[in-house]
Amino acid sequence: MNTRITAVVLVAASALALTACSTSSESGTRTAPSPKASKTPSPERSAAERTGGIPPTPTGAKREALLRALAAANPDIVKYEDKAIEAARNQCGAISQEAQRMDWAASQRFTYKDVTTTETQGKQINEALRGLGFCKA
């Protein structure tokens, strides 16, 4: 008897978990972000981010200055502001590690959804990040 109840509970839990995994592309509608997802960036950084040269998420005037600098290189990349900010933070990791092919890496990092970034624009992005001093964490 206990085996049957356990099996029924497990099947029901699995079914509930699977229905919770549907995405907006499956249903054709967009859902609002969860209340836990905050647009306010956290000033906290992990130890890995600090040692990897990834600066904190900028806020206020610093955020606006970064978005303007990125838009000067490729206006399309700031259509998705949060994505552009995260890409900039991650690109700082490549810059601080003096990675090879940084311009190419930037072009890849800032190519997403319907936005394409060229290697020349990647070079402009790297110059903008250095010029702003954004990567100095």
Side-chain angles (χ1 to χ4, degrees), residues 2 7 17 25 34-35 46 51-52 60 75-76 80 102 104 108-109 120:
N2 285 338
S25 63
S34 70
S46 70
T51 59
D76 287 342
Y80 308 102
M102 279 189 279
W104 177 84
Q108 299 303 299
R109 193 164 273 132
T120 301

Side-chain angles (χ1 to χ4, degrees), residues 12 24 34 61 73 87 99 126:
S24 61
S34 70
N126 288 329

Side-chain angles (χ1 to χ4, degrees), residues 13-60:
S14 297
L16 286 173
L18 289 174
T19 59
C21 292
S22 68
T23 62
S24 61
S25 63
E26 290 173 355
S27 63
T29 60
R30 293 189 176 245
T31 58
S34 70
K36 291 182 182 179
S38 171
K39 289 206 175 208
T40 306
S42 170
E44 299 297 319
R45 294 184 298 155
S46 70
E49 287 177 330
R50 284 191 296 275
T51 59
I54 297 176
T57 303
T59 59

Side-chain angles (χ1 to χ4, degrees), residues 51-100:
T51 59
I54 297 176
T57 303
T59 59
K62 287 183 180 181
R63 178 183 172 93
E64 294 306 314
L66 176 59
L67 290 171
R68 278 192 305 275
L70 295 173
N74 180 355
D76 287 342
I77 62 177
V78 296
K79 286 196 296 188
Y80 308 102
E81 290 182 1
D82 292 339
K83 200 145 184 68
I85 295 292
E86 286 307 305
R89 292 180 66 225
N90 290 324
Q91 186 63 20
C92 286
I95 290 171
S96 72
Q97 302 295 320
E98 298 180 8
Q100 295 181 3

